[in-house]
Amino acid sequence: MDYEPKSAIVTGSAQGIGKAIAVKLAERGLNIVVSDILYDEAKKTAMEIEQSGVKALAVKTDVSNAQDVKALVDTTKEAFGSVDVLVNNAGITRDNLSMRLSESDWDLVLAVNLKGSFLCAQAASKIMMKQKYGRIVNISSVSGILGTAGQANYASSKAGVIALTKALARELAGRNITVNAIAPGFIVTEMTDKLADNVKEEYITQIPLGRAGTPLDVANVVDFLISPAASYVTGIVISVSGGMVM
Ligand code: NAP
């Protein structure tokens, strides 16, 4: 019950929310695999993390590619001896109104956000099942709960991530693997930097706590979900949105 995890894969962790999660889990003493499609940035993040005294490895991964994902999980097992934690954080947006949304932007967002989470969970859980221990945290979004105009592809992918979380939680519970999701609201990162100032201001007016979130706000909840304190928590979605969703 009190097992402290020793190793974590955080996808999309070269920057943004994923980086904050990787740093937070390193502070807890976990060895970290910084997995991202951006290899140079991932290497920089891994070097920063090593300064906290744990081991960190950068692995270039496209989470929508099954071969990359297998290599990611095999490398982690080889380097650290176990795959205790998986955080499915890699995600992209390709926003447009449905009338104008291209088929390729639909396919790409679903492939990275939803299929990528599935492939990583499938590969990691093969090892976690043998270990009879695992913690999987999927990063969804309030868009996947509320639906957001202009994000039919993204909202659908993130709703899918919530259903995936629940299905996996039921399938893996018997092997002491918990699977939970976090639905962040409006968090300041490279992803949200792209939004126009008036769109950002509009988001903030919808947040009861009156401010945008930080990557650390999300990382703190991941830290709880992978801790022994959360060993009886599985299949849930925690909204980290300043009250946008309650
Ligand atoms: P971010 O700053 O763009 O970081 C995501 C990282 O994932 C980037 O380095 C990105 O590289 C990488 N990535 C993209 N495609 C990938 C792929 N196929 N395989 C592996 N890595 C890939 O985004 P963020 O804001 O930190 O978001 C992190 C997660 O939180 C995402 O799942 C996002 O949907 C979710 N989220 C964010 C917010 C928010 O307000 N920021 C709100 C709700 C949910 P590129 O830069 O090349 O794309």
Side-chain angles (χ1 to χ4, degrees):
M1 288 287 269
D2 290 323
Y3 179 79
E4 280 283 353
K6 307 277 185 300
S7 60
I9 298 171
V10 186
T11 67
S13 56
Q15 61 184 19
I17 294 171
K19 179 176 177 182
I21 294 168
V23 168
K24 187 78 195 169
L25 300 189
E27 285 167 10
R28 180 179 273 280
L30 276 76
N31 296 320
I32 306 291
V33 172
V34 179
S35 154
D36 205 291
I37 204 156
L38 304 175
Y39 187 49
D40 289 340
E41 286 82 349
K43 279 197 288 192
K44 274 189 227 147
T45 300
M47 268 158 54
E48 270 177 58
I49 287 175
E50 287 216 309
Q51 281 163 13
S52 65
V54 299
K55 291 185 205 147
L57 198 68
V59 177
K60 182 173 165 64
T61 321
D62 173 354
V63 293
S64 66
N65 178 307
Q67 279 175 337
D68 275 18
V69 169
K70 185 178 181 318
L72 167 68
V73 170
D74 289 348
T75 306
T76 307
K77 170 86 172 126
E78 238 172 75
F80 300 148
S82 67
V83 180
D84 293 339
V85 172
L86 167 69
V87 183
N88 276 317
N89 166 80
I92 57 168
T93 51
R94 293 292 182 275
D95 297 351
N96 216 329
L97 291 173
S98 294
M99 286 303 129
R100 296 194 202 119
L101 189 60
S102 67
E103 188 179 346
S104 60
D105 279 348
W106 173 273
D107 287 347
L108 182 63
V109 169
L110 270 287
V112 174
N113 298 4
L114 182 54
K115 183 176 128 183
S117 298
F118 164 69
L119 290 175
C120 291
Q122 186 186 48
S125 63
K126 280 182 188 158
I127 293 173
M128 290 173 173
M129 285 172 84
K130 288 189 197 139
Q131 294 172 174
K132 296 201 171 51
Y133 176 87
R135 299 286 176 259
I136 299 175
V137 181
N138 295 324
I139 306 300
S140 175
S141 166
V142 294
S143 278
I145 299 169
L146 300 172
T148 307
Q151 291 196 312
N153 50 357
Y154 182 77
S156 303
S157 72
K158 293 299 189 178
V161 165
I162 291 173
L164 174 69
T165 300
K166 295 178 185 181
L168 290 173
R170 290 183 196 281
E171 289 181 16
L172 299 172
R175 298 294 182 106
N176 190 28
I177 300 167
T178 66
V179 190
N180 292 292
I182 294 176
F186 180 62
I187 311 292
V188 177
T189 67
E190 286 79 354
M191 183 184 266
T192 47
D193 265 358
K194 295 176 209 154
L195 298 169
D197 284 346
N198 64 325
V199 176
K200 290 183 200 167
E201 281 157 24
E202 175 58 29
Y203 268 119
I204 289 171
T205 62
Q206 295 167 30
I207 302 173
L209 286 177
R211 67 165 175 92
T214 66
L216 183 59
D217 288 322
V218 179
N220 283 332
V221 179
V222 175
D223 189 49
F224 165 68
L225 287 171
I226 64 105
S227 74
S231 61
Y232 200 56
V233 178
T234 196
I236 56 143
V237 186
I238 299 182
S239 171
V240 180
S241 65
M244 273 170 99
V245 168
M246 54 172 81

